[in-house]
Amino acid sequence: MSLDTDLWWAVARSEEVTSKKPLSVDIGDQPVVLWRDHHGIARALEDRCPHRRAPLSLGCIRDNGLIQCGYHGWSYDGETGRLKEIPNMKDQQKFPPLYKANAFGVSEQAGFVRVCLNPKAEAPLSAEPKYSYIGTVNVSCSHQEYLDALYDDPALILAIRGVRFSPYIMSELHEEGGMLVMERSCQWHPLHWPSHFVAEFPLTLLTRTHPLTGETHLTLRDDAFNDLLHAVLSPVPAARGVTAVRWRAELGVRRPGLRGAMLRGVNPLTVLSSIDGSKLRTTKPTVSLHGEDLRNALLDAPQDTHDQTVAA
Amino acid sequence: MLDIADRPTSHDDNSAPPAGGSPIAMNVVNRWVPHNIVMRDSWFPVAHDYSVTGKPVRRAVYSNPIFLWRDNGVVVASEFHPNERVVRDKSDYTDARGRYPVMEHYGVVWIWLGNPLAADPRHLPSLPFLPPKGGLPRHMTATVRFESSAPISLENLIDLTHADFLHADVVGDERSDSETIETYYDSETVTMVRTCVNKSVAPVMKFFSGIKQPTQNVRQVIRIYLRSHCAIAYGRFSPGDDVPLFHPCTPETRDRTRMEMVMNTSNAGRMFSYVMPKAGYKVSRQDSYMTSPQSPRYMRHTDRKDLHSKFDQAGQRYRMAMMELADRQAKGDFAYRDNVSADCSDIIGLRKELFQF
Ligand code: FES
Ligand SMILES: [Fe+2]
């Protein structure tokens, strides 16, 4: 898939990027290697050594913060991608500027490491806190199908402890500040009545999705307008049509009683690592169909309406 | 960055450079798509002689099916399994009965892939450190497979700087007082000689040959027979042992490689002679860790050029020589312009006295 090169993709959680071992991720068809240098700064290069194309992620991170290819040991600087050292040529100090791996833009905020294929792109600012419930899954489903599943039936891709998503929507997908926003009615689990006979729903799930990256902020609210749960879900298109999903979540207002306790259990949010194909294929595209028109309208509109600073 | 001697084997300064005597042209080197190189009219090593018995075993060269068995002790190489209900056409590589030209030499079974009428033992690569009639103990042989194209594996072999790094735990790291690399070539072979003075001792020799000194002088030779995708890797270590290795990279398919390895350690210490051939398993896994992911990245042409260091000159020469030969074959010229079966002892610097058969 061809991707807008100025987008920032949350390809890793902060915990996953270390100076112990390089991390291999993708942005679409582009393999990316991530690591943390000796100053603790996250770095991203193309995961392909320009010498003989070996993946740099099979190499190691040196004490001086350089990444070293595992094949012939060439070492690269993470900020510029420039070649700094060849093992048998230790006395050679400088290599021509052409001797470099492709470097990408990196920005780390709120517990996510975001990478932009354009190293000159400006990183979005985020005022978000770093949520402490975390997870990573790789789902074998395309990026757009994944988002469509989220719109049409969130239960296909995630679960919130003690909560059941209903098919009834309080607000259909619409544009708000450049984001695709919708709100779905939810019930506590176990149910008292099937959702079609319910007069008042006790909960809603509000989702705000960036129209291009699909990065989504979820808020679970009760009928007193208390935020019970916040989460950020970041689906990134990866190799072979897989969608790599990183997420972070935090409980909001403490809800008393049994239901609150249930929500507060081990991990309030679960993002599923696979989608049930038989459910997926029979899920009617309703919100997603509408979402497609909306997204197209949004993308045709002047650029600043989907400024990514809003997303992050 | 390229400043290392690189010269044709039979080139004297007054004569015109022979075919393949061109200077390394980087634009050619960077057009390298090893998966597109398919060689024919060549002997390919397909099995250790002991693997071929009465019961047919299956091999392949460039996906061409080969069944090997013995008929009254004589090796047969057929395109068809004896029990096969034949529903496909016979290829042009076999005779009327579907048999490939086949020969046994150096303890290895070779098949000729190409025009069967052109098959000639004179085109069999010279391997002067192996007994012509075979018979080395089995522990000196091994079969190793690579998930990469054969030329990728051979490029790996002729590029010895990776060894100091990737195989440092077996062969020692790159530290030495001096290092020279020379490359010789003709239209059928590329030979690289690397000489290191006072190099860190190979750990495998430290442990199994009892070398006490911290450094040793090393002379390593890699000689590649381009068409057959066969290589000789010959290390002379002093103090230490003489370790010649037959390192074929038979292209079972364009991106899967089979190596029927033979390492003649008859002259080394007893322990070492057992251990060293086994080190091949470890070394090959280390190589595979890099060449398997590397190989698919060479399957299609890309305009992005590989970067090179002065240590890559032998590898560049290998790429060029392969492409020249492939170009000639594409034009229908399958003739040998150089003799691959002529004894190469002098070229590889073999201590003949140690290898008398
Ligand atoms: S392929 Fe990375 S150093 Fe050679
Ligand atoms: Fe190797």
Side-chain angles (χ1 to χ4, degrees), chain A residues 144 147-148 150-151 171-183 206-217 287-288 290-299 305-306 310-311:
Chain A
Q144 193 56 54
L147 289 167
D148 288 350
L150 169 72
Y151 297 146
S171 163
E172 66 174 40
L173 207 54
H174 63 284
E175 187 264 335
E176 230 179 84
M179 305 290 275
L180 298 173
V181 179
M182 72 175 285
E183 194 165 8
L206 179 73
T207 57
R208 306 168 55 84
T209 303
H210 186 271
L212 290 170
T213 62
E215 188 167 314
T216 298
H217 292 237
V287 183
S288 63
H290 182 196
E292 194 180 318
D293 302 340
L294 190 59
R295 200 174 51 251
N296 290 340
L298 209 58
L299 298 185
T305 54
H306 60 271
V310 190

Side-chain angles (χ1 to χ4, degrees), chain B residues 36 77 175 267 286 320 352:
Chain B
N36 289 352
R175 278 169 300 182
N267 300 293
Q286 291 171 332
M320 273 193 61
K352 262 299 212 193

Side-chain angles (χ1 to χ4, degrees), chain B residues 127-243:
Chain B
L127 305 171
F129 55 91
L130 295 182
K133 293 203 164 66
L136 284 179
R138 277 200 205 184
H139 70 81
M140 294 183 188
T141 70
T143 299
V144 175
R145 295 165 181 276
F146 294 100
E147 281 169 57
S148 58
S149 80
I152 291 264
S153 288
L154 286 163
E155 197 187 17
N156 162 279
L157 186 70
I158 201 164
D159 134 41
L160 280 178
T161 55
H162 88 277
D164 306 334
F165 188 70
L166 193 61
H167 312 311
D169 55 347
V170 180
V171 302
D173 62 30
E174 85 282 2
R175 278 169 300 182
S176 70
D177 289 351
S178 79
E179 170 174 0
T180 55
I181 298 176
E182 290 176 294
T183 314
Y184 306 89
Y185 60 95
D186 60 21
S187 66
E188 294 290 339
T189 63
V190 174
T191 304
M192 182 203 63
V193 181
R194 181 198 200 199
T195 322
C196 299
V197 177
N198 295 333
K199 189 175 187 297
S200 308
V201 162
V204 62
M205 294 201 175
K206 209 181 281 176
F207 297 124
F208 300 106
S209 291
I211 308 279
K212 298 281 184 300
Q213 295 85 333
T215 63
Q216 59 190 167
N217 294 336
V218 180
R219 185 174 182 283
Q220 285 163 306
V221 181
I222 303 291
R223 175 173 173 80
I224 299 180
Y225 293 98
L226 302 171
R227 275 195 217 216
S228 299
H229 295 77
C230 287
I232 296 171
Y234 177 39
R236 266 167 54 180
F237 301 83
S238 48
D241 302 289
D242 266 53
V243 195

Side-chain angles (χ1 to χ4, degrees), chain A residues 49 51-54 69 71-74:
Chain A
C49 179
H51 177 225
R52 290 292 176 268
R53 310 183 197 176
C69 177
Y71 198 172
H72 308 88
W74 291 23

Side-chain angles (χ1 to χ4, degrees), chain B residues 45-303:
Chain B
V46 288
H48 294 296
D49 54 6
Y50 58 78
S51 318
V52 183
T53 61
K55 178 174 177 278
V57 290
R58 184 164 177 181
R59 296 289 188 272
V61 175
Y62 297 125
S63 304
N64 292 289
I66 301 161
F67 297 92
L68 301 169
W69 68 89
R70 284 185 196 273
D71 201 355
N72 287 319
V74 179
V75 178
V76 176
S78 165
E79 203 178 326
F80 303 101
H81 191 279
N83 298 344
E84 186 172 344
R85 209 159 40 83
V86 177
V87 289
R88 52 196 168 94
D89 287 340
K90 191 192 81 62
S91 78
D92 294 336
Y93 299 141
T94 52
D95 66 13
R97 292 196 307 164
R99 305 257 162 117
Y100 297 96
V102 63
M103 63 187 285
E104 258 185 281
H105 206 70
Y106 300 128
V108 173
V109 174
W110 306 74
I111 69 115
W112 174 267
L113 193 82
N115 173 9
L117 300 176
D120 188 329
R122 278 182 312 167
H123 301 320
L124 192 77
S126 158
L127 305 171
F129 55 91
L130 295 182
K133 293 203 164 66
L136 284 179
R138 277 200 205 184
H139 70 81
M140 294 183 188
T141 70
T143 299
V144 175
R145 295 165 181 276
F146 294 100
E147 281 169 57
S148 58
S149 80
I152 291 264
S153 288
L154 286 163
E155 197 187 17
N156 162 279
L157 186 70
I158 201 164
D159 134 41
L160 280 178
T161 55
H162 88 277
D164 306 334
F165 188 70
L166 193 61
H167 312 311
D169 55 347
V170 180
V171 302
D173 62 30
E174 85 282 2
R175 278 169 300 182
S176 70
D177 289 351
S178 79
E179 170 174 0
T180 55
I181 298 176
E182 290 176 294
T183 314
Y184 306 89
Y185 60 95
D186 60 21
S187 66
E188 294 290 339
T189 63
V190 174
T191 304
M192 182 203 63
V193 181
R194 181 198 200 199
T195 322
C196 299
V197 177
N198 295 333
K199 189 175 187 297
S200 308
V201 162
V204 62
M205 294 201 175
K206 209 181 281 176
F207 297 124
F208 300 106
S209 291
I211 308 279
K212 298 281 184 300
Q213 295 85 333
T215 63
Q216 59 190 167
N217 294 336
V218 180
R219 185 174 182 283
Q220 285 163 306
V221 181
I222 303 291
R223 175 173 173 80
I224 299 180
Y225 293 98
L226 302 171
R227 275 195 217 216
S228 299
H229 295 77
C230 287
I232 296 171
Y234 177 39
R236 266 167 54 180
F237 301 83
S238 48
D241 302 289
D242 266 53
V243 195
L245 164 70
F246 173 50
H247 186 303
C249 288
T250 306
E252 289 209 296
T253 70
R254 288 190 299 162
D255 58 357
R256 296 291 188 280
T257 297
R258 177 189 189 101
M259 168 166 119
E260 302 285 50
M261 178 197 108
V262 187
M263 184 182 267
N264 191 343
T265 49
S266 333
N267 300 293
R270 201 170 154 70
M271 265 269 266
F272 184 81
S273 79
Y274 274 86
V275 169
M276 195 58 201
K278 295 290 168 283
Y281 289 116
K282 176 165 187 187
V283 166
S284 66
R285 282 306 87 193
Q286 291 171 332
D287 281 328
S288 193
Y289 187 61
M290 288 298 156
T291 55
S292 314
Q294 186 197 16
S295 188
R297 293 180 168 186
Y298 280 92
M299 275 179 121
R300 299 236 188 281
H301 172 78
T302 161
D303 286 331

